[in-house]
Amino acid sequence: MAVSDLFEISVYEEPDLTKVVRVAADGMISYPLLGNIFVRGLTAKELEAKITELLAKDYLVNPQVSIFIKEHSKISVLGQVEKPGAYELKTGLSIIDAIALAGGFTDKADKTKVKRIREKEGKKETIEININTIAKDVYAGREIMLEPNDVIIVEELGTISIIGQVKNPGRYDLKDGMTVIDAIAIAGGLTDIAAGDGTKV
């Protein structure tokens, strides 16, 4: 369970114990008879077992507890991804997982400038991440785990100017992994009077 998750707890043949709850910012829920219970980080099955144990201890004989998740908390993935939007935050979601959920990077994405924005105590905290670096280090990637309401923004690479003896000089979108040869090709190739060995970057 994560902060802002909404779920229903029901106990077989105990309608008074059916309750829809949302996980508070401190990771707690309030439940009849038991009061406040810390649930953040638990799976639905683990929470069922926990409530079953607490009810059996003092209140009911052999309680049968069911958890039904109605709504997961959300994160947003915006910018240069294939499917920008809001996504459910499930347990253990990393920044790389979230980008994959959003269809991966577009060819205009600047993988060296991915921002994670998080609100803490009314203040926005922004960190910039180089995905190329953390993708090579599995452990570094695991450290950047997401929390409810995090926003990920993938910046755009920008444009380049291709001028001189090419057939279509002008400004073009810079794409990930683009080489000088690629740039000349998108500008229509060299003219007949171009000096191929005189190309400058």
Side-chain angles (χ1 to χ4, degrees), residues 43-59:
T43 65
K45 287 288 180 196
E46 288 168 342
L47 183 54
E48 282 176 2
K50 183 173 185 172
I51 292 173
T52 298
E53 182 184 339
L54 292 170
L55 288 172
K57 188 176 178 182
D58 293 315
Y59 302 101

Side-chain angles (χ1 to χ4, degrees), residues 2-3 5-6 69-77 85-94 97-98 101-102 146-150:
V3 171
D5 280 358
L6 184 73
I69 297 172
K70 288 177 164 286
E71 181 184 303
H72 282 287
S73 53
K74 300 256 192 314
I75 54 152
S76 296
V77 188
Y87 292 88
E88 286 189 345
L89 175 62
K90 300 194 177 166
T91 308
L93 195 71
S94 73
D97 296 329
L101 270 179
L146 299 175
E147 294 183 8
N149 305 314
D150 278 357

Side-chain angles (χ1 to χ4, degrees), residues 89-110:
L89 175 62
K90 300 194 177 166
T91 308
L93 195 71
S94 73
I95 193 163
I96 292 176
D97 296 329
I99 289 166
L101 270 179
F105 294 107
T106 67
D107 57 7
K108 295 181 185 178
D110 187 346

